[in-house]
Amino acid sequence: MNLAQKNPNARQEKNVPSPFTGEGQDGGVLRQAFHPHPNPPPSRGRGLFIIGGFTLLELLVAIGIFALISGIAYGSLTRLMVDRERLQAEQAFWSRLSLTFARMEEDFSQARERQVRDVIGFPQPAFRGQPTDTRALAPPNVEFTRGGVLTFSDGPRSDLQRVAYRLDEGTLKRLTWPVLDLGPQTTPAETPLLNDVEEFRVRFFAPAGAWLDVWPTQGISDALPRGVEVKMTLKGRGEFTRLFLING
């Protein structure tokens, strides 16, 4: 038995092509290994790249969805901004109203029995009030002398001050005079408190237990009433009523 019969794989091992020369150990050239097949099979796994994109219909659908979501978001944001502005306006209104009533309460609680003199020199009551008079030179709705005013001057100075409340063309104003006894050139400082005031009424509670529209009145010797009722009618808001104690 020869060596080829003993080892049937020997011939095949000799014909294995060299990875460097492309020739087998027996000198034959294996060209088939270095030329691709004319119809290669489809690749499996890596090495397969497919380049794709959106169609016109898909692009139009995407743009439509984006426009719909943007419209909903814009509407929600607009409503949020409107609600925020309305809430801020309501907060500002109630804050002004509360500060106005707080200022009135402080003034009425510090009322004093101190008469004053007008420009001509005639004495005026320490506390006086009447219904609203729309004339330019008409007296305020309520005018009185109050104490407890802070002074920041170096020398001694009285803590008394003349205060008044007046409705002027739909605006409630607080008036303060720099001195008690008025001079020819004395003018009050006006501070607007509330706008859109349609009506401002005051009533005065007498020590006898009756409500009066004018103070002082005949038959009453007291300089100060026991209490004051304030009623204000605001445009679009309705009527607000507060009761204040005098010198309480």
Side-chain angles (χ1 to χ4, degrees):
M1 181 179 298
N2 56 17
L3 296 176
Q5 294 176 351
K6 291 180 180 180
N7 189 5
N9 297 326
R11 186 66 178 177
Q12 297 178 0
E13 294 176 355
K14 293 181 180 180
N15 294 329
V16 175
S18 173
F20 301 100
T21 62
E23 299 179 355
Q25 295 180 2
D26 57 354
V29 179
L30 301 179
R31 302 178 182 274
Q32 186 71 21
F34 297 95
H35 293 279
H37 196 276
N39 295 318
S43 176
R44 297 181 181 179
R46 60 182 182 179
L48 181 62
F49 298 95
I50 299 177
I51 301 176
F54 294 102
T55 64
L56 179 59
L57 180 59
E58 293 173 343
L59 191 59
L60 292 176
V61 171
I63 294 175
I65 295 176
F66 177 75
L68 179 61
I69 296 176
S70 300
I72 296 175
Y74 179 78
S76 300
L77 181 60
T78 302
R79 288 192 298 270
L80 180 62
M81 296 300 295
V82 171
D83 293 341
R84 181 181 179 182
E85 293 178 357
R86 186 183 299 110
L87 181 60
Q88 290 178 348
E90 287 292 323
Q91 183 179 3
F93 166 75
W94 290 108
S95 178
R96 290 195 305 268
L97 185 63
S98 299
L99 290 176
T100 299
F101 285 136
R103 171 62 70 182
M104 289 182 179
E105 182 178 9
E106 181 183 359
D107 288 339
F108 287 130
S109 64
Q110 298 288 340
R112 298 291 186 267
E113 297 183 9
R114 205 292 194 176
Q115 291 184 348
V116 297
R117 293 184 180 275
D118 58 13
V119 178
I120 302 176
F122 293 133
Q124 300 296 325
F127 194 107
R128 67 179 182 181
Q130 63 178 12
T132 302
D133 193 341
T134 57
R135 292 178 299 177
L137 300 179
N141 296 81
V142 57
E143 179 183 343
F144 55 95
T145 304
R146 63 152 293 177
V149 178
L150 296 177
T151 57
F152 300 97
S153 60
D154 297 334
R157 184 179 176 182
S158 173
D159 66 338
L160 300 179
Q161 187 180 45
R162 196 69 174 177
V163 179
Y165 289 90
R166 166 186 286 170
L167 180 61
D168 185 11
E169 297 181 354
T171 301
L172 180 64
K173 298 180 179 180
R174 181 177 183 265
L175 288 69
T176 56
W177 283 265
V179 294
L180 296 179
D181 299 324
L182 305 182
Q185 303 298 327
T186 304
T187 56
E190 298 183 355
T191 303
L193 299 177
L194 286 175
N195 298 323
D196 298 329
V197 181
E198 296 180 346
E199 187 177 9
F200 180 71
R201 293 177 295 170
V202 290
R203 291 198 308 168
F204 311 98
F205 189 72
W211 285 100
L212 305 175
D213 293 330
V214 179
W215 188 275
T217 187
Q218 296 181 354
I220 296 179
S221 59
D222 297 89
L224 302 177
R226 295 290 180 86
V228 176
E229 180 190 68
V230 174
K231 288 186 178 182
M232 288 190 298
T233 302
L234 304 181
K235 183 179 180 180
R237 299 286 183 173
E239 186 179 82
F240 297 88
T241 303
R242 294 293 185 273
L243 298 177
F244 302 100
L245 293 177
I246 297 299
N247 200 8

